[in-house]
């Protein structure tokens, strides 16, 4: 029987993984490494996350079926708990996903991951360490269609410290743990659930809805964004754990050419599922044109509350990601028989049905955005990718705070 150690079970994707696994692959044992005061508190945190996918009662039942190891994965190499020794697969999802608190993000995502890898080296039965990275390790200048071979690249210029820390983790894992059965999964942008919509978490949906409400597309209105639903990511990760053989070490978990989202197509879908001033027409703008964005934003949302100011600044940053117009090639995954994700247009209606106001959604996502990314023109220094834990990766000083609700200023 497989015995799977999961980090990040209380997070967006971790909850989806656990829900999918416990309802579809009940023969495996799941061990969750969770931050909590004790095992029962950890179990309750997991039940709370699972309840976004099912009834409270069922979530409680499912949570009873997992083993809880209380701990912080960044200290994993100091964990003597013998329950970890018999793990056969490890799915490492836990990360600091905030965009800017760079030292902490680096310490967690790079240093912490190496600590977990050192502990994994003592798991004698381990046959897969599935590390979840991000396709956004490409930084700000990827080609239009990107396969898995080009990055991580020490020369990449990152838009945010988060992606730099994930790139550093991948590089150090590959270089320092050659004997570990490492596979890297790189999801693109994870948004919504293909049947539950925004219920498990509305993260990033507000961005798409705000771009739509503004009728502004950064770059080309026929450009694309690579978006995948959370349940597809979860199912794919669980299947990757179960496959005894995978042909490659690194995989994009992405929409790819078949399922990517073209703004113009999305607009036609939204005309149907969210009819408002139809047919929609999106104006194009350069994401560096702050004045154009500010004028449109002020007219549509207003700038009369601190939360709206904060949302404006976060949106500016997201527009820079949207402007990348990159498709993450998923040929590797599909050619090994994994199913393709549904395109966003298939389930955006469900997301909208199950979501509230755009500004409330932004507020929910605000934790990750408490600090602003690098203003355009002030590039982060080139990423140095250290092979040893603890070394500094970035020396970025260019960030300015997005102040918390109540104190923000444009
Ligand atoms: N969401 C996306 O669009 C996306 C796209 C590409 C890649 N990814 C990657 O997918 C993974 C999961 O993302 P997500 O969106 O699910 O993140 P999330 O919702 O922010 O969840 C992060 C998880 O990591 C845990 N964690 C953080 N620091 C920890 C620590 N020191 N010790 C133990 N647990 C810790 C959190 O636990 P607490 O609850 O205790 O804080 C939480 O369970 C990440 O590696 C991320 O880089 C996400």
């Amino acid at each position: 029987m497989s015995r799977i150690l999961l980090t990040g079970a209380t997070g967006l994707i971790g909850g989806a993984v656990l829900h999918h696994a416990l309802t579809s692959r009940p023969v495996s044992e799941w061990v969750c490494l969770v931050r909590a005061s004790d095992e029962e508190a950890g179990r309750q945190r997991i039940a709370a996350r699972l309840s976004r996918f099912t009834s409270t009662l069922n979530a409680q039942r499912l949570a009873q079926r997992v083993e809880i190891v209380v701990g912080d994965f960044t200290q994993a190499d100091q964990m003597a708990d013998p329950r970890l020794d018999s793990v056969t697969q490890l799915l490492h999802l836990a990360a600091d996903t905030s965009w800017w608190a760079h030292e902490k993000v680096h310490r967690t995502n790079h240093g912490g991951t190496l600590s977990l890898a050192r502990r994994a080296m003592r798991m004698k039965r381990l046959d897969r360490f599935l590390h979840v990275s991000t396709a956004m390790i490409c930084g700000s200048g990827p080609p239009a269609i990107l396969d898995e071979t080009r990055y991580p690249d020490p020369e990449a210029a990152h838009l945010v410290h988060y992606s730099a820390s994930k790139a550093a983790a991948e590089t150090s894992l590959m270089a320092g743990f050659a004997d570990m059965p490492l596979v890297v999964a790189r999801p693109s942008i994870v948004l919504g659930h293909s049947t539950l919509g925004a219920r498990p978490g509305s993260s990033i949906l507000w961005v798409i809805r705000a771009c739509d409400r503004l009728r502004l597309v950064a770059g080309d209105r026929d450009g694309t964004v690579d978006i995948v639903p959370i349940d597809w990511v979860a199912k794919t990760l669980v299947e990757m754990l179960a496959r005894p053989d995978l042909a490659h070490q690194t995989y994009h978990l992405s929409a790819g050419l078949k399922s990517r989202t073209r703004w113009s197509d999305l607009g036609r879908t939204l005309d149907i599922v969210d009819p408002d001033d139809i047919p929609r027409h999106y104006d194009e703008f350069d994401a560096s044109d702050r004045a154009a964005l500010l004028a449109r934003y002020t007219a549509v949302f207003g700038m009369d509350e601190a939360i709206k100011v904060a949302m404006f600044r976060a949106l500016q940053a997201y527009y820079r990601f949207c402007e990348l117009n990159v498709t993450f090639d998923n040929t590797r995954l599909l050619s090994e028989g994994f199913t393709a994700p549904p395109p966003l247009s298939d389930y955006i209606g469900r997301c909208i049905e199950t979501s509230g106001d755009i500004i409330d959604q932004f507020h929910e996502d605000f934790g990750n955005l408490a600090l602003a990314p690098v203003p355009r023109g002030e590039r982060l220094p080139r990423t140095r990718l250290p092979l040893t834990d603890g070394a500094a990766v970035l020396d970025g000083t260019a960030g300015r705070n997005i102040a918390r609700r109540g104190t923000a200023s444009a």
Side-chain angles (χ1 to χ4, degrees):
M1 182 190 281
S2 54
R3 181 169 165 80
I4 302 163
L5 176 63
L6 173 65
T7 70
T10 54
L12 183 71
I13 300 176
V17 162
L18 206 52
H19 179 256
H20 174 74
L22 294 174
T23 50
S24 68
R25 202 178 163 220
V27 286
S28 303
E29 290 174 2
W30 285 81
V31 184
C32 297
L33 180 62
V34 190
R35 289 191 284 197
S37 52
D38 57 35
E39 283 186 26
E40 185 47 30
R43 194 178 303 287
Q44 288 313 316
R45 292 198 65 212
I46 285 182
R49 175 56 69 171
L50 289 171
S51 68
R52 293 171 179 236
F53 299 86
T54 185
S55 68
T56 309
L57 185 62
N58 200 34
Q60 285 289 345
R61 282 197 192 119
L62 293 175
Q64 294 305 320
R65 293 193 8 223
V66 301
E67 253 177 72
I68 307 288
V69 172
V70 170
D72 180 326
F73 84 87
T74 66
Q75 312 291 319
D77 58 351
Q78 290 157 37
M79 285 180 196
D81 194 323
R83 290 177 298 166
L84 297 179
D85 296 336
S86 50
V87 163
T88 56
Q89 286 114 358
L90 197 163
L91 175 53
H92 178 39
L93 277 163
D96 188 331
T97 53
S98 57
W99 271 14
W100 189 239
H102 85 260
E103 276 169 24
K104 182 166 164 284
V105 166
H106 179 66
R107 214 170 39 244
T108 304
N109 296 348
H110 178 260
T113 295
L114 299 194
S115 174
L116 185 66
R118 284 191 292 274
R119 182 64 181 88
M121 292 296 280
R122 309 204 304 265
M123 299 173 185
K124 299 295 177 218
R125 295 176 59 208
L126 192 74
D127 60 30
R128 177 142 309 145
F129 185 116
L130 182 52
H131 170 67
V132 180
S133 182
T134 169
M136 288 300 173
I137 60 162
C138 61
S140 61
I145 299 173
L146 178 61
D147 70 23
E148 289 90 339
T149 58
R150 171 80 180 77
Y151 296 93
D153 176 353
E155 291 300 304
H158 288 273
L159 291 171
V160 290
H161 281 292
Y162 158 73
S163 60
S165 73
K166 299 291 280 191
E170 272 198 45
T171 302
S172 296
L173 282 176
M174 299 269 184
F177 295 86
D179 293 338
M180 200 169 67
L182 176 69
V183 173
V184 176
R186 294 186 195 143
S188 52
I189 300 170
V190 183
L191 188 161
H193 187 287
S194 64
T195 56
L196 299 175
R199 197 180 136 194
S202 61
S203 170
I204 309 190
L205 178 60
W206 69 268
V207 178
I208 300 295
R209 293 179 68 204
C211 296
D212 173 58
R213 182 73 62 80
L214 294 172
R215 303 291 198 264
L216 266 187
V217 169
D220 183 353
R221 71 174 71 84
D222 282 322
T224 60
V225 277
D226 194 307
I227 292 175
V228 287
I230 183 180
D231 48 319
W232 176 82
V233 173
K235 179 170 167 284
T236 305
L237 288 171
V238 172
E239 196 174 333
M240 288 178 85
L241 286 173
R243 294 267 183 111
D245 298 304
L246 290 167
H248 301 278
Q249 192 170 34
T250 310
Y251 292 84
H252 280 152
L253 268 57
S254 57
L257 285 169
K258 199 171 154 210
S259 305
R260 63 187 177 173
T261 302
R262 197 173 291 284
W263 286 103
S264 46
D265 295 341
L266 186 65
R268 281 189 283 277
T269 304
L270 288 169
D271 278 346
I272 299 164
V273 300
D274 188 19
D276 171 32
D277 188 19
I278 60 171
R280 281 167 164 76
H281 173 82
Y282 294 127
D283 292 324
E284 297 171 350
F285 86 116
D286 180 327
S288 64
D289 188 348
R290 183 181 184 279
L293 180 59
L294 183 62
R296 182 70 63 93
Y297 184 94
T298 306
V300 172
F301 292 108
M303 275 291 207
D304 52 330
E305 285 181 58
I307 192 75
K308 294 180 184 174
V309 176
M311 188 169 106
F312 170 74
R313 295 180 64 184
L315 196 58
Q316 264 187 300
Y318 271 107
Y319 264 123
R320 289 167 58 197
F321 278 102
C322 294
E323 201 178 38
L324 292 178
N325 194 6
V326 56
T327 301
F328 299 105
D329 179 52
N330 60 7
T331 306
R332 281 186 175 182
L333 198 72
L334 301 191
S335 65
E336 287 183 49
F338 289 89
T339 52
L344 178 63
S345 52
D346 280 9
Y347 67 96
I348 185 82
R350 184 70 186 126
C351 290
I352 288 172
E353 247 173 60
T354 47
S355 65
D357 178 73
I358 295 176
I359 291 171
D360 290 344
Q361 274 184 353
F362 166 70
H363 199 200
E364 191 187 311
D365 208 23
F366 196 31
N368 283 346
L369 299 165
L371 294 161
V374 191
R376 196 181 179 95
E378 295 177 53
R379 281 158 53 118
L380 291 174
R382 298 285 183 203
T383 317
R384 284 180 285 123
L385 301 170
L387 303 181
T388 53
D389 195 358
V393 167
L394 290 163
D395 182 30
T397 51
R400 288 173 299 157
N401 285 351
I402 284 180
R404 286 196 175 277
R405 185 169 199 173
T407 54
S409 59

